[in-house]
Amino acid sequence: MADAQFQKRQTGCKIMIKDILSSKYIKTEGTEPNYLEINSKEVSRVNILGAVLGKSKLGNYDSITIEDGSGRISAMVFDDKISLESIEVGDVVVLIGKPREFSSEKYVVVEAIKKIDPAWIKVRNLELKKNSSNIKAAEQMASDEENIDLSPKNKIIRIIKDLDKGDGAFIESILSKNTSVSLPSIFLL
């Protein structure tokens, strides 16, 4: 087989169920995977952690309902190699799968599922809180950049920082970058 026939396996993005439920589902053409649009990011595989609220067998597939404190979602197993026999209602599981949508309802197709210690819920919540804090900090920095004080003094300082490559900046260069800045007469002597 040629390398072009292999598709790179997508990373299972650690997210909360509410992020799946509130995101936009995008169907793609060809070999590109369908994905969720979450915070301007394309998510085609998810890694969720939650408690099993229900379990059922429906015709040719098994189904479980998972809840993580932010929402609940159905997870379907269509692959005979994946078994839910050891999973019981009340168990905490980590699930990796592909998000899907049918009749405007989102669900996850299970690729892997494992029962885990409930203490991992605290770890996941801390991970997601940290990631959320990093995103908010980046957004705040971008917002701060837009609200920079553009007084004449700060304009000059900004121009000097842009021009200075380690050995200062010439007054002529500063003036040529911004003619609206008038330097005090002491600098023009």
Side-chain angles (χ1 to χ4, degrees), residues 52 54-58 61-66 74-89 91 93-95 108 110-115:
V52 177
K55 180 177 168 182
S56 61
K57 184 156 187 71
L58 305 166
Y61 66 92
D62 292 331
S63 173
I64 59 173
T65 302
I66 297 180
S74 294
M76 314 292 188
V77 178
F78 297 105
D79 189 342
D80 294 337
K81 296 175 188 168
I82 300 170
S83 173
L84 296 179
E85 286 184 31
S86 65
I87 307 293
E88 298 296 329
V89 172
D91 288 344
V93 297
V94 62
L95 180 150
V108 177
V110 178
E111 294 181 318
I113 187 168
K114 181 179 178 183
K115 187 173 16 175

Side-chain angles (χ1 to χ4, degrees), residues 117-130:
D117 186 313
W120 283 104
I121 292 173
K122 290 179 184 178
V123 174
R124 176 63 59 92
N125 288 338
L126 288 172
E127 285 177 327
L128 294 176
K129 188 181 284 187
K130 180 181 176 189

Side-chain angles (χ1 to χ4, degrees), residues 1-17:
M1 283 186 168
D3 286 338
Q5 292 177 330
F6 289 107
Q7 185 173 357
K8 182 182 173 199
R9 185 177 198 111
Q10 303 295 317
T11 302
C13 186
K14 294 179 182 179
I15 58 175
M16 300 295 287
I17 291 172

Side-chain angles (χ1 to χ4, degrees), residues 3-188:
D3 286 338
Q5 292 177 330
F6 289 107
Q7 185 173 357
K8 182 182 173 199
R9 185 177 198 111
Q10 303 295 317
T11 302
C13 186
K14 294 179 182 179
I15 58 175
M16 300 295 287
I17 291 172
K18 71 176 179 173
D19 296 326
I20 297 171
L21 299 174
S22 65
S23 63
K24 184 176 179 183
Y25 185 73
I26 309 293
K27 292 183 180 179
T28 60
E29 299 293 325
T31 61
E32 291 299 313
N34 296 344
Y35 61 89
L36 298 172
E37 196 172 75
I38 301 174
N39 297 327
S40 304
K41 188 175 176 182
E42 295 179 5
V43 177
S44 60
R45 290 181 84 220
V46 296
N47 178 330
I48 56 177
L49 192 142
V52 177
L53 297 180
K55 180 177 168 182
S56 61
K57 184 156 187 71
L58 305 166
N60 62 345
Y61 66 92
D62 292 331
S63 173
I64 59 173
T65 302
I66 297 180
E67 199 268 335
D68 70 353
S70 73
R72 10 179 117 166
I73 195 164
S74 294
M76 314 292 188
V77 178
F78 297 105
D79 189 342
D80 294 337
K81 296 175 188 168
I82 300 170
S83 173
L84 296 179
E85 286 184 31
S86 65
I87 307 293
E88 298 296 329
V89 172
D91 288 344
V92 175
V93 297
V94 62
L95 180 150
I96 297 174
K98 295 180 181 179
R100 293 291 182 256
E101 184 177 68
F102 180 74
S103 297
S104 299
E105 187 173 334
K106 293 183 181 86
Y107 65 96
V108 177
V109 174
V110 178
E111 294 181 318
I113 187 168
K114 181 179 178 183
K115 187 173 16 175
I116 59 171
D117 186 313
W120 283 104
I121 292 173
K122 290 179 184 178
V123 174
R124 176 63 59 92
N125 288 338
L126 288 172
E127 285 177 327
L128 294 176
K129 188 181 284 187
K130 180 181 176 189
N131 288 342
S132 176
S133 296
N134 289 344
I135 291 169
K136 287 178 184 171
E139 289 171 352
Q140 183 62 43
M141 285 174 56
S143 175
D144 290 347
E145 282 286 320
E146 293 171 6
N147 297 324
I148 290 176
D149 176 15
L150 294 179
S151 66
K153 174 184 164 188
N154 287 336
K155 284 182 183 178
I156 293 171
I157 291 170
R158 185 175 227 173
I159 291 169
I160 292 171
K161 284 181 180 179
D162 289 343
L163 292 172
D164 186 7
K165 304 298 180 213
D167 53 351
F170 290 104
I171 291 175
E172 296 83 10
S173 300
I174 297 167
L175 289 172
S176 69
K177 287 285 186 183
N178 191 344
T179 56
S180 66
V181 173
S182 59
L183 294 175
S185 59
I186 192 166
F187 289 114
L188 299 176

